[in-house]
């Protein structure tokens, strides 16, 4: 699969952009486990053009992450154009590797974004969605992609027609999450409409499917049954970034790898923590790891007190010590999940 001139190989696995999750340290770990392409946390176009510190910080990427996309969102056309230009020049503005791709977020369903007409809120204004996309494509030199949903609600699943219109703006790939905005993350993702987009003979850009890919078997089904060019994985990576390795192994061999042991998870959590400290410093590096650390050990018995320490401790040395204690106390225990199915 190619996005413009960027070759991601056959059946690529992509890490979805997720606010407060896909920061640089988590991306480092996902790349280590074989993510073929990754995206930053989504960046507010308004925040970028106001030079907001948090938004600018999200532009920083690293050479080992390439190819990497910077995802932007907003509902003001001129701001989206300016933000896209800033993302294209991220290396000069923020340092680091910069962006290989710009992705437009028309899929985020959270109220604070969608209710003001950004993210999946744009599904109620398809004309404006198409116009913003065209303006962004025309404003930058690197490939532009779009991530969106099936529609606003059950009565307005417009994705099959909309996909053609977005393609006609010049985007180089389209990612579709198989839910409407009103579904948020409830119910099951509907891959049938993703398949219909892919089957459309007018579609010639890559179609990437997203939604409920939480096991190697489901990934294989998405490729085989619905014919997508690539798969984007979001919530199932949270606490299980090795899902990329496990899916790739299954696609290549048909074999399911055994669950990662507690001891292996401890070593992974320590690498992740060390990378967070390296990138963000001691204070922020610890605080922003809290959302990850306990998830690595979800399902362990009698873990409440230790989990509390993982999410409250401020001293990095104490955190490393706690992780070592987990290896000693639970290292011989069965892996937390009973099967190779990943929690959403």
């Amino acid at each position: 699969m190619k996005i413009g001139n960027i070759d991601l190989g056959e059946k690529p696995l992509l890490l979805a952009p997720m606010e407060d999750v896909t920061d640089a340290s988590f991306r480092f770990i996902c790349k280590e486990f074989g993510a073929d392409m990754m995206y930053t946390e989504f960046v507010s176009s308004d925040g970028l053009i106001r030079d907001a510190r948090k938004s600018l910080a999200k532009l920083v990427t690293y050479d080992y992450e390439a190819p990497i996309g910077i995802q932007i969102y907003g509902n003001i056309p001129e701001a989206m154009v300016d933000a896209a230009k800033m993302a294209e020049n991220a290396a000069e503005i923020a340092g680091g590797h910069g962006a290989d791709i710009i992705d437009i977020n028309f899929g985020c369903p959270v109220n604070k974004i969608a209710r003001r007409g950004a993210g999946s809120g744009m599904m109620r204004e398809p004309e404006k969605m198409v116009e913003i996309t065209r303006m962004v494509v025309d404003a930058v030199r690197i490939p532009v992609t779009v991530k969106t949903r099936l529609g606003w609600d059950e009565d307005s699943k417009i994705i099959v027609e909309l996909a053609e219109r977005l393609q006609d703006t010049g985007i180089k790939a389209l990612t579709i999450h198989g839910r409407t905005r009103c579904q948020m993350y409830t119910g099951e993702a509907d891959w049938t409409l993703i398949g219909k987009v892919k089957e459309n003979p007018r579609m010639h850009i890559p179609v990437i499917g997203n939604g409920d890919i939480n096991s190697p078997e489901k990934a294989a089904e998405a490729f085989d049954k619905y014919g997508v060019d690539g798969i984007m994985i979001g919530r199932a990576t949270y606490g299980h970034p090795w899902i990329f390795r496990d899916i790739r192994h299954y696609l290549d061999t048909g074999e399911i790898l055994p669950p990662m042991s507690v001891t292996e998870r401890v070593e992974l959590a320590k690498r992740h923590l060390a990378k967070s400290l390296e990138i963000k410093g001691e204070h922020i590096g610890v605080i922003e790891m809290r959302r990850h650390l306990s998830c690595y050990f979800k399902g362990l018995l009698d873990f409440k007190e230790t989990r509390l320490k993982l999410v409250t401790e401020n001293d990095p040395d104490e955190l490393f010590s706690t992780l070592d204690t987990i290896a000693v106390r639970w290292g011989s225990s069965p892996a937390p999940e009973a099967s190779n199915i990943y929690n959403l």
Side-chain angles (χ1 to χ4, degrees):
M1 183 185 100
K2 286 188 175 182
I3 299 178
N5 292 322
I6 300 172
D7 191 345
L8 298 177
E10 185 178 357
K11 296 183 178 180
L13 308 174
L14 290 73
L15 172 66
M18 293 178 284
E19 180 70 358
D20 295 328
V21 177
T22 56
D23 62 5
S25 63
F26 187 67
R27 297 196 306 265
F28 174 81
I29 296 297
C30 289
K31 191 72 174 181
E32 190 177 74
F33 280 109
D36 295 298
M37 184 169 172
M38 305 182 295
Y39 293 84
T40 63
E41 301 170 83
F42 38 87
V43 187
S44 164
S45 59
D46 295 338
L48 276 185
I49 63 176
R50 293 197 312 268
D51 291 334
R53 180 186 58 82
K54 186 175 181 181
S55 295
L56 289 171
K58 292 178 181 178
L59 296 183
V60 179
T61 60
Y62 299 87
D63 289 342
Y64 59 77
E65 299 185 275
I68 186 164
I70 291 178
Q71 190 188 73
I72 60 174
Y73 74 91
N75 67 335
I76 300 173
E78 294 76 17
M80 287 290 283
V81 167
D82 289 343
K85 291 178 179 177
M86 292 180 71
E88 182 179 34
N89 295 301
E92 291 76 25
I93 293 170
H97 174 79
D100 298 295
I101 286 171
I102 294 170
D103 189 63
I104 304 176
N105 179 336
F106 291 141
C108 180
V110 300
N111 282 330
K112 68 178 182 179
I113 292 175
R115 289 296 184 187
R116 69 185 192 196
S120 60
M122 198 64 69
M123 299 300 293
R124 293 189 292 185
E125 298 183 87
E127 298 294 335
K128 188 175 182 181
M129 179 194 290
V130 170
E131 184 58 24
I132 286 176
T133 305
R134 180 177 291 109
M135 291 172 66
V136 169
V137 169
D138 291 344
V140 299
R141 300 177 302 278
I142 62 177
V144 175
T145 60
V146 164
K147 184 173 190 286
T148 190
R149 289 190 166 222
L150 304 179
W152 175 257
D153 58 23
E154 194 67 23
D155 297 322
S156 58
K157 292 182 177 180
I158 60 174
I159 190 59
V160 176
E161 176 192 358
L162 180 62
E164 285 192 32
R165 298 182 64 192
L166 290 169
Q167 174 181 257
D168 291 345
T169 68
I171 62 171
K172 300 303 182 183
L174 176 65
T175 300
I176 305 169
H177 183 105
R179 289 181 172 87
T180 65
R181 186 273 159 183
C182 289
Q183 280 183 273
M184 302 290 285
Y185 294 104
T186 62
E188 292 186 4
D190 180 5
W191 278 72
T192 59
L193 283 179
I194 300 175
K196 286 184 179 179
V197 172
K198 180 59 189 172
E199 292 168 5
N200 184 346
R202 284 203 68 246
M203 293 297 295
H204 56 80
I205 62 173
V207 175
I208 301 160
N210 174 228
D212 293 354
I213 300 298
N214 58 4
S215 71
E217 296 95 328
K218 284 190 176 182
E221 179 186 38
F223 282 119
D224 297 340
K225 185 174 181 179
Y226 301 104
V228 292
D229 299 285
I231 288 173
M232 183 175 283
I233 309 169
R235 291 173 295 153
T237 66
Y238 198 19
H240 302 91
W242 57 89
I243 189 172
F244 296 103
R245 178 200 64 185
D246 290 3
I247 289 175
R248 180 61 60 200
H249 183 80
Y250 184 76
L251 293 177
D252 290 344
T253 69
E255 299 173 351
I256 292 289
L257 288 172
M260 184 175 280
S261 70
V262 174
T263 302
E264 288 173 319
R265 292 174 192 232
V266 167
E267 291 307 308
L268 171 57
K270 289 165 67 175
R271 288 202 308 277
H272 192 171
L273 175 58
K275 196 66 179 179
S276 185
L277 295 171
E278 173 191 330
I279 293 172
K280 298 184 177 182
E282 182 173 311
H283 179 64
I284 300 299
V286 166
I287 290 175
E288 297 198 356
M289 272 300 294
R290 289 174 176 171
R291 65 178 69 99
H292 293 283
L293 283 177
S294 65
C295 288
Y296 282 128
F297 309 104
K298 186 176 181 180
L300 284 180
L301 297 177
D302 302 318
F303 196 69
K304 183 177 180 180
E305 184 177 335
T306 304
R307 179 180 292 109
L308 182 62
K309 190 166 186 178
L310 289 176
V311 300
T312 58
E313 179 59 61
N314 293 317
D315 185 341
D317 290 336
E318 284 297 317
L319 280 175
F320 282 114
S321 178
T322 300
L323 290 169
D324 286 335
T325 299
I326 294 170
V328 172
R329 181 174 175 184
W330 285 277
S332 60
S333 302
E337 64 241 285
S339 64
N340 214 37
I341 299 297
Y342 298 81
N343 297 318
L344 285 174

